[in-house]
Amino acid sequence: MPHLPLVSIMGIVNVTPDSFSDGGRFLDPDAALDQASELIAAGASVIDVGGESTRPGAAPVGEQEELDRVVPVIEAIASRFDVTVSIDTRKPAVMRAAIDAGAHWINDVEALRAPGALQIAAKLDVPVCLMHMQGTPGTMQQAPHYDDVVTDVETFLSERVRACDDAGISRSHIILDPGFGFGKTLAHNTALFRALPRLASLGFPLLVGVSRKRMLGELLDAEAAADRVLGGAVAAVLAVQYGARIIRTHDVKETVQAMQILQAFAPTA
């Protein structure tokens, strides 16, 4: 069978009452554990656990509340499954508690910009995903503007890599995420997606997450998130062809199947 570079599928477990795609279905720890089990069975090699919604317009969550949501779920997943666990958080204290509970990666939509985040990540010595976001979840979709979205995102990510260098974080631990839908219009997202080969050339593993997002809904005239699954699988295939190495998705089964077809039909040279 043709060889493709290794692609990891990251399944999403939102331990929140207000995420855009599943709206609190997995707030209960047992439900979250069942969801993680299903995603792993479907082929996820990474489970991303988040306790604070970062959908457009979302309100921030207090530190203790976020800890109460994610720590029991991470402990349960880490103790029962042989899978990489990622903590989706902006808060240094949550990063530390999650790693202590058994998580292996940090996935930060603020790219370690919170006070103390760089220092905590360096001390924990685990992989970190640095994502681009313009503004905050509460305001990011209020008329986002760029001089050149690709150049601006590339510059931001390069600057955050340098900040990690200065903090003593190993470059081998850095993953980059362009942040589709985070302070970006459809035109911005489209330009950024087409530029994935340029971002991949920065030399770090590239994570892409467009699963069920509004950008797909706008392209497909699909208001309901559940009607964007096929579009997300197609986008995942394109992202891998453009250089992505980690696909973050709600729909693991469909994405894994799409990768199997890509693997079977990809040119051998």
Side-chain angles (χ1 to χ4, degrees):
M1 184 171 288
H3 173 74
L4 289 176
L6 181 65
V7 176
S8 297
I9 305 300
M10 174 186 276
I12 301 167
V13 176
N14 290 316
V15 194
T16 62
D18 56 348
S19 63
F20 83 94
S21 64
D22 45 46
R25 288 176 56 205
F26 311 119
L27 184 59
D28 177 79
D30 289 335
L33 185 61
D34 288 343
Q35 174 67 1
S37 178
E38 289 184 15
L39 296 175
I40 294 165
S45 56
V46 184
I47 298 295
D48 195 39
V49 178
E52 178 183 47
S53 176
T54 51
R55 62 175 175 78
V61 171
E63 181 180 287
Q64 189 57 53
E65 184 173 4
E66 188 175 346
L67 287 167
D68 292 342
R69 290 176 180 178
V70 301
V71 168
V73 173
I74 291 171
E75 288 177 339
I77 295 173
S79 66
R80 299 187 193 190
F81 301 105
D82 182 19
V83 67
T84 298
V85 180
S86 171
I87 176 63
D88 181 355
T89 187
R90 301 181 279 171
K91 300 181 180 70
V94 178
M95 296 174 190
R96 180 173 52 213
I99 299 301
D100 288 345
H104 309 91
W105 293 4
I106 296 166
N107 181 18
D108 183 3
V109 299
E110 287 189 348
L112 302 179
R113 286 181 289 164
L118 280 166
Q119 291 74 23
I120 285 293
K123 183 177 181 180
L124 293 170
D125 194 27
V126 297
V128 295
C129 183
L130 309 173
M131 196 194 80
H132 175 275
M133 174 173 60
Q134 186 179 90
T136 67
T139 64
M140 63 188 180
Q141 290 306 106
Q142 297 174 11
H145 171 76
Y146 298 86
D147 294 329
D148 179 310
V149 65
V150 176
T151 298
D152 290 355
V153 169
E154 181 181 40
T155 298
F156 171 85
L157 293 174
S158 297
E159 289 173 348
R160 295 315 297 161
V161 168
R162 287 193 290 273
C164 288
D165 285 340
D166 292 343
I169 296 172
S170 171
R171 287 198 164 208
S172 66
H173 279 168
I174 294 175
I175 301 162
L176 301 181
D177 180 352
F180 291 103
F182 283 78
K184 299 170 183 74
T185 65
L186 177 58
H188 295 144
N189 287 317
T190 301
L192 203 53
F193 198 99
R194 290 171 175 163
L196 283 174
R198 174 173 161 184
L199 297 177
S201 72
L202 292 173
F204 300 91
L206 199 60
L207 183 151
V208 168
V210 298
S211 170
R212 301 192 182 186
K213 288 187 175 178
R214 181 169 295 277
M215 60 182 282
L216 299 178
E218 292 179 81
L219 290 168
L220 301 172
D221 193 24
E223 183 63 28
D227 292 335
R228 306 167 188 170
V229 176
L230 179 57
V234 173
V237 168
L238 289 171
V240 170
Q241 290 180 315
Y242 291 172
R245 291 296 164 256
I246 305 166
I247 300 295
R248 184 178 184 272
T249 180
H250 305 83
D251 305 300
V252 169
K253 178 181 177 180
E254 293 82 357
T255 305
V256 168
Q257 288 179 339
M259 293 302 135
Q260 289 173 330
I261 299 302
L262 175 59
Q263 172 78 13
F265 292 162
T268 56

